[in-house]
Amino acid sequence: GENVEQHPSTLSVQEGDSAVIKCTYSDSASNYFPWYKQELGKGPQLIIDIRSNVGEKKDQRIAVTLNKTAKHFSLHITETQPEDSAVYFCAASRGQTGANNLFFGTGTRLTVIP
Amino acid sequence: GAVVSQHPSRVICKSGTSVKIECRSLDFQATTMFWYRQFPKQSLMLMATSNEGSKATYEQGVEKDKFLINHASLTLSTLTVTSAHPEDSSFYICSARDRGRGGNTIYFGEGSWLTVV
């Protein structure tokens, strides 16, 4: 089955700096890679996703890159703000081929220091 | 965007009783929903996949007779924790797959805190 690894487990950055979280996956058939932000006591919120037919996607301060050959994908947050502090999870699935579930990374606790 | 509603957000029940958690997709039809359990400071652990109109598929180690899942309509799945014990106390989260708009995106509910006393 799929195995998703996520690094780092914790990350502290100064407000305004960039934050990068990296994930690797094992199943070459995975083709859908979402990122979720989870605040304390709440459910994960989808913040950005990327499918295997593109290498990069950007939405304002958030971007995701995908390297299918190396089987890794990364989340980039620029100009970080205190409200970006949360736990971020990457995930992988065979979304478009009808397989069921997401395989999650172990999460990264991001702290943005004002 | 798509919204998944989960209810109740918090519930306290006595040991030995059963408690039901609902998961609704509010603006899309979800033939597939997922139930997760999350322990503090840990990732989400998939418990089961709920398919509309058929039996749920449980992950290894999850007791199907204890965690009853029903997906009776395209917008509602329920998780019933039967004969709850303190060790069942946890954060339970559902998600739903939206196949619309040319995509295949999964949205999560807000989660339900279960405390068994």
Side-chain angles (χ1 to χ4, degrees), chain A residues 32 34 36 38 40-46 49 51 89 93-107 109, chain B residues 10 32 34 36 38 41-44 46 49 51 57 59 91 93 95 97 99 102-111 113:
Chain A
Y32 174 62
Y36 291 89
Q38 187 177 26
L40 187 63
K42 296 185 178 181
Q45 178 187 13
L46 177 69
D49 58 10
R51 301 182 191 277
F89 291 98
S93 86
R94 301 179 186 181
Q96 294 191 0
T97 57
N100 287 328
N101 53 291
L102 294 169
F103 293 88
F104 284 91
T106 49
R109 182 172 299 278
Chain B
R10 291 181 179 273
T32 306
F34 306 92
Y36 295 84
Q38 187 177 35
K41 298 185 178 181
Q42 293 189 21
S43 190
L44 290 81
L46 179 66
T49 302
N51 300 299
T57 304
E59 296 300 302
F91 190 48
I93 309 172
S95 67
R97 181 187 297 279
R99 293 187 182 274
N104 200 350
T105 305
I106 293 177
Y107 298 96
F108 282 83
E110 284 295 300
W113 286 100

Side-chain angles (χ1 to χ4, degrees), chain B residues 19-95:
Chain B
V19 60
K20 180 185 289 186
I21 302 170
E22 294 186 348
C23 180
R24 294 180 185 272
S25 56
L26 297 186
D27 58 355
F28 65 96
Q29 292 183 333
T31 55
T32 306
M33 292 185 173
F34 306 92
W35 287 96
Y36 295 84
R37 184 172 181 177
Q38 187 177 35
F39 293 103
K41 298 185 178 181
Q42 293 189 21
S43 190
L44 290 81
M45 181 189 76
L46 179 66
M47 298 174 65
T49 302
S50 172
N51 300 299
E52 187 269 336
S54 64
K55 292 182 179 180
T57 304
Y58 290 81
E59 296 300 302
Q60 189 173 7
V62 179
E63 300 176 59
K64 61 180 181 180
D65 294 330
K66 180 167 184 62
F67 298 99
L68 300 179
I69 292 173
N70 184 281
H71 194 154
S73 78
L74 288 171
T75 58
L76 173 65
S77 175
T78 60
L79 168 68
T80 301
V81 183
T82 63
S83 186
H85 291 285
E87 56 265 33
D88 297 325
S89 299
S90 189
F91 190 48
Y92 292 88
I93 309 172
C94 72
S95 67

Side-chain angles (χ1 to χ4, degrees), chain A:
Chain A
E2 175 66 279
N3 180 44
V4 178
E5 296 189 354
Q6 183 172 347
H7 300 280
S9 57
T10 60
L11 177 61
S12 293
V13 299
Q14 291 291 137
E15 182 178 359
D17 288 350
S18 295
V20 181
I21 303 171
K22 298 181 179 181
C23 288
T24 61
Y25 62 99
S26 62
D27 187 352
S28 58
S30 289
N31 54 19
Y32 174 62
F33 309 93
W35 285 88
Y36 291 89
K37 175 184 180 182
Q38 187 177 26
E39 297 177 345
L40 187 63
K42 296 185 178 181
Q45 178 187 13
L46 177 69
I47 55 172
I48 195 167
D49 58 10
I50 192 168
R51 301 182 191 277
S52 59
N53 56 344
V54 297
E56 184 173 358
K57 184 176 178 180
K58 189 174 182 180
D59 183 4
Q60 299 182 339
R61 296 187 297 110
I62 295 174
V64 57
T65 58
L66 170 65
N67 184 327
K68 285 215 72 180
T69 302
K71 294 210 260 316
H72 65 71
F73 56 112
S74 301
L75 177 71
H76 304 252
I77 305 175
T78 58
E79 301 173 31
T80 54
Q81 302 167 2
E83 50 265 39
D84 294 330
S85 296
V87 178
Y88 291 82
F89 291 98
C90 64
S93 86
R94 301 179 186 181
Q96 294 191 0
T97 57
N100 287 328
N101 53 291
L102 294 169
F103 293 88
F104 284 91
T106 49
T108 297
R109 182 172 299 278
L110 173 65
T111 302
V112 179
I113 304 167

